[in-house]
Amino acid sequence: MSNDADEAVGPDKVTESFRDRHSNTTEEGKRKWVYALQPKGTLYSFRKYLAWVYLAVFFAIPFIKVNGMPLLQLNFPEGKFILFTKIFWPNDFFIFAVAMISMIIFIALFTIIYGRVFCGWICPQTIFLEFVFRPIEWLIEGNPVQQKKLDSAHWTGNKIFKKVLKHAIYFIISFVIAHTFLAYILGVDEVLKIVTHPISENIGLFFGLLFFTGLFFIVFAYIRDIVCTTICPYGRLQSVLFDKDTQQVSYDYVRGEPRGKIVKGKESETGDCVDCKLCVQVCPTGIDIRNGVQMECVGCTACIDACNGVMEKVNRPLGLIRMASENEIEKKEKFHFNFRMKAYTAILLVLTGLMTFLIITRKSVDTSISRVKGQLYQEIGTDSLSNLFSAKIINKTKTVIPYELRLESGTPGKIRMINAHKMELKGESINDVTFFVDVPKSAIKKRTTDIVVGVYGNGKKIQTVKSKFLGPFM
């Protein structure tokens, strides 16, 4: 099933020395730069078309507005999030928590079934590296052989020109990506306003943008595959998520071994693998898929296209490298939905149902009421007691809502507002309200009494909130 990086071995002499280090690291522990060959084939074409769609959506979303609101905005500084025209505030955090857990379960389930295909086909790191930055490198510096020759050559005018041109384009693209991310946070209108004003007015934001521009530039110009093989925690998780039923990019060692070149006029005594190493040359992380399942494999399927192209030329069946499970290759078993997959699916369905319920029942106006700390009851005349309360009313809509607070039936007394403002809730804001609750002494039977406050908007009840009224010791 496996072989050393430099020595072909039969299935009876399997070595695992390739697992002693990452694919992009030499035996001495130094960085081994990956010069990936541009893939060709059906799967790569699909990936390329999907990447164009992903990129178009990524750069277009900040500009899309519905009813004057951004389609998507994640305003962390203000704690305001807009998802498909719905505004979410910090008190909606539990919905985000459920959504985050659901996404983690979904990724785990997807990985159990399909391996790291998510990394190779959907991950933004891969999309930008393989379909934006690396094509620019191929265009300016040529194929892997030409890139190696250029890197090892002395610094000449031609080398300086190509390196400066490539990195200048990289920096400009990184600058655009940084501004796009900022538009997701502040909104495209605010970003356009910032970039058209003098730098001195937004000096902190300017240096922040430079920082993230530099970060993106370093990641895509230098760090590259190290993100996938070392930094990203998802790559580490795969080793505990995979099992023998996981469909992943796999080499059919039963059919491919022993490897050997084709000799004209001589009957082949080897497997279907002709040891062309084209699968290694197209790999963006520099692994040899024929060594078996490896953490560094991102499931990009470039090796499948490369191998299928060779199999066509030598008139051998396609699929020597394909999406397959270990049980499918070793035991010829068809894929089946095992217990672990069913368990993750059940958990995901429950979480999705819970999240749907929370979103449907979510209120557009949310109120929290509490008695002002440090304040005791006050006597009003000879027959009533009063408590001071504060309320935070979040209006999650864009419209101004006239409101009123009332004591609900079963709670005697009245509410006296002390804020000198209009009884209106500003749109997309947290409204602070202070008021007294006056209750007849005859209704106070114990130290604390439950009260229910109704919040009305445009004359209709929006919400009821419970609180405690403090009276004297009985």
Side-chain angles (χ1 to χ4, degrees):
M1 173 181 175
S2 303
N3 77 312
D4 206 344
D6 302 313
E7 177 187 5
V9 296
D12 58 334
K13 295 181 180 179
V14 175
T15 65
E16 296 284 337
S17 61
F18 70 94
R19 298 192 191 277
D20 293 342
R21 60 186 184 277
H22 285 302
S23 57
N24 50 19
T25 306
T26 65
E27 292 183 4
E28 294 77 24
K30 296 180 179 179
R31 170 79 179 275
K32 182 170 68 176
W33 191 264
V34 175
Y35 295 93
L37 182 68
Q38 184 172 16
K40 294 179 181 178
T42 304
L43 293 174
Y44 182 73
S45 296
F46 280 131
R47 286 179 63 209
K48 183 166 58 176
Y49 298 144
L50 285 173
W52 290 346
V53 173
Y54 297 151
L55 291 170
V57 170
F58 171 75
F59 287 109
I61 282 180
F63 293 91
I64 300 175
K65 292 185 178 181
V66 179
N67 298 325
M69 295 176 61
L71 184 66
L72 176 64
Q73 184 176 348
L74 307 173
N75 194 331
F76 294 99
E78 295 182 8
K80 183 176 72 174
F81 308 94
I82 301 176
L83 302 177
F84 305 107
T85 72
K86 295 290 184 180
I87 303 176
F88 295 86
W89 290 85
N91 63 328
D92 295 317
F93 177 77
F94 57 93
I95 298 178
F96 284 92
V98 174
M100 187 63 67
I101 296 171
S102 301
M103 182 166 291
I104 292 171
I105 296 297
F106 171 75
I107 292 175
L109 175 62
F110 193 86
T111 304
I112 291 171
I113 300 175
Y114 295 111
R116 284 187 76 180
V117 170
F118 174 88
C119 296
W121 284 67
I122 302 174
C123 176
Q125 160 74 13
T126 303
I127 297 296
F128 277 106
L129 178 59
E130 299 302 325
F131 297 98
V132 177
F133 289 90
R134 212 186 288 275
I136 293 171
E137 189 171 61
W138 288 325
L139 180 64
I140 296 174
E141 297 185 358
N143 59 41
V145 174
Q146 294 169 323
Q147 290 175 26
K148 289 179 184 178
K149 186 177 179 180
L150 182 67
D151 286 347
S152 60
H154 295 293
W155 284 96
T156 62
N158 180 57
K159 181 174 180 177
I160 293 173
F161 171 75
K162 288 185 176 181
K163 291 294 183 181
V164 170
L165 177 62
K166 182 183 79 170
H167 289 299
I169 296 174
Y170 279 8
F171 189 84
I172 292 171
I173 295 174
S174 299
F175 196 66
V176 173
I177 295 173
H179 277 77
T180 304
F181 272 111
L182 184 64
Y184 275 93
I185 297 172
L186 301 182
V188 68
D189 293 335
E190 188 66 22
V191 172
L192 291 174
K193 181 176 164 184
I194 290 170
V195 298
T196 54
H197 282 63
I199 294 176
S200 58
E201 294 183 10
N202 299 282
I203 192 70
L205 199 57
F206 173 73
F207 281 109
L209 280 170
L210 281 183
F211 171 78
F212 282 103
T213 298
L215 181 64
F216 291 130
F217 173 78
I218 291 172
V219 165
F220 293 114
Y222 297 104
I223 300 178
R224 294 191 162 194
D225 48 284
I226 293 178
V227 172
C228 306
T229 61
T230 307
I231 299 175
C232 180
Y234 181 48
R236 302 285 181 176
L237 275 175
Q238 71 164 333
S239 60
V240 297
L241 293 175
F242 283 8
D243 59 28
K244 290 192 174 183
D245 288 319
T246 300
Q247 297 284 311
Q248 55 200 311
V249 177
S250 303
Y251 166 67
D252 191 341
Y253 57 90
V254 175
R255 175 185 148 193
E257 300 293 331
R259 307 168 200 168
K261 303 292 183 182
I262 296 176
V263 180
K264 288 186 178 181
K266 184 179 178 180
E267 186 177 350
S268 175
E269 297 179 354
T270 61
D272 281 351
C273 179
V274 297
D275 203 22
C276 64
K277 293 185 174 64
L278 193 60
C279 57
V280 181
Q281 295 173 31
V282 298
C283 180
T285 58
I287 70 167
D288 188 340
I289 191 62
R290 299 171 300 173
N291 284 333
V293 177
Q294 296 161 68
M295 185 187 69
E296 296 94 329
C297 176
V298 295
C300 68
T301 66
C303 55
I304 296 179
D305 277 331
C307 187
N308 282 344
V310 173
M311 291 297 104
E312 284 182 348
K313 292 178 182 177
V314 298
N315 295 317
R316 293 184 178 179
L318 306 183
L320 179 60
I321 300 176
R322 63 184 186 275
M323 291 295 295
S325 67
E326 174 66 19
N327 283 333
E328 182 181 341
I329 292 174
E330 183 181 6
K331 302 177 182 178
K332 306 301 180 183
E333 293 181 356
K334 290 185 178 181
F335 170 78
H336 69 281
F337 214 61
N338 62 29
F339 174 78
R340 191 160 67 136
M341 297 174 187
K342 293 176 182 177
Y344 274 94
T345 301
I347 295 171
L348 182 61
L349 290 174
V350 171
L351 289 172
T352 303
L354 174 61
M355 185 172 62
T356 303
F357 171 78
L358 291 174
I359 292 174
I360 292 175
T361 58
R362 172 182 170 273
K363 300 178 177 66
S364 59
V365 175
D366 199 13
T367 307
S368 62
I369 296 176
S370 62
R371 200 172 56 81
V372 175
K373 293 181 180 179
Q375 295 287 330
L376 297 176
Y377 66 89
Q378 299 176 9
E379 292 191 3
I380 307 297
T382 58
D383 61 350
S384 297
L385 299 177
S386 177
N387 278 191
L388 181 62
F389 288 85
S390 65
K392 287 187 179 295
I393 308 176
I394 303 177
N395 182 2
K396 302 174 184 177
T397 68
K398 294 195 68 168
T399 57
V400 176
I401 301 176
Y403 79 99
E404 181 184 0
L405 300 180
R406 305 177 191 170
L407 287 177
E408 294 297 281
S409 58
T411 305
K414 64 180 181 178
I415 290 177
R416 287 185 293 123
M417 306 299 298
I418 63 173
N419 295 69
H421 72 287
K422 290 183 179 180
M423 298 293 288
E424 292 179 342
L425 300 175
K426 297 178 182 178
E428 297 183 50
S429 63
I430 300 175
N431 299 266
D432 292 313
V433 178
T434 309
F435 58 93
F436 284 106
V437 174
D438 300 336
V439 177
K441 287 183 180 180
S442 58
I444 305 300
K445 305 298 182 182
K446 51 187 177 179
R447 174 63 170 171
T448 58
T449 303
D450 293 331
I451 62 171
V452 180
V453 179
V455 183
Y456 291 77
N458 291 315
K460 297 181 180 178
K461 184 189 292 185
I462 300 175
Q463 186 180 7
T464 56
V465 184
K466 293 182 179 180
S467 191
K468 299 285 186 181
F469 186 91
L470 182 65
F473 289 101
M474 306 304 291

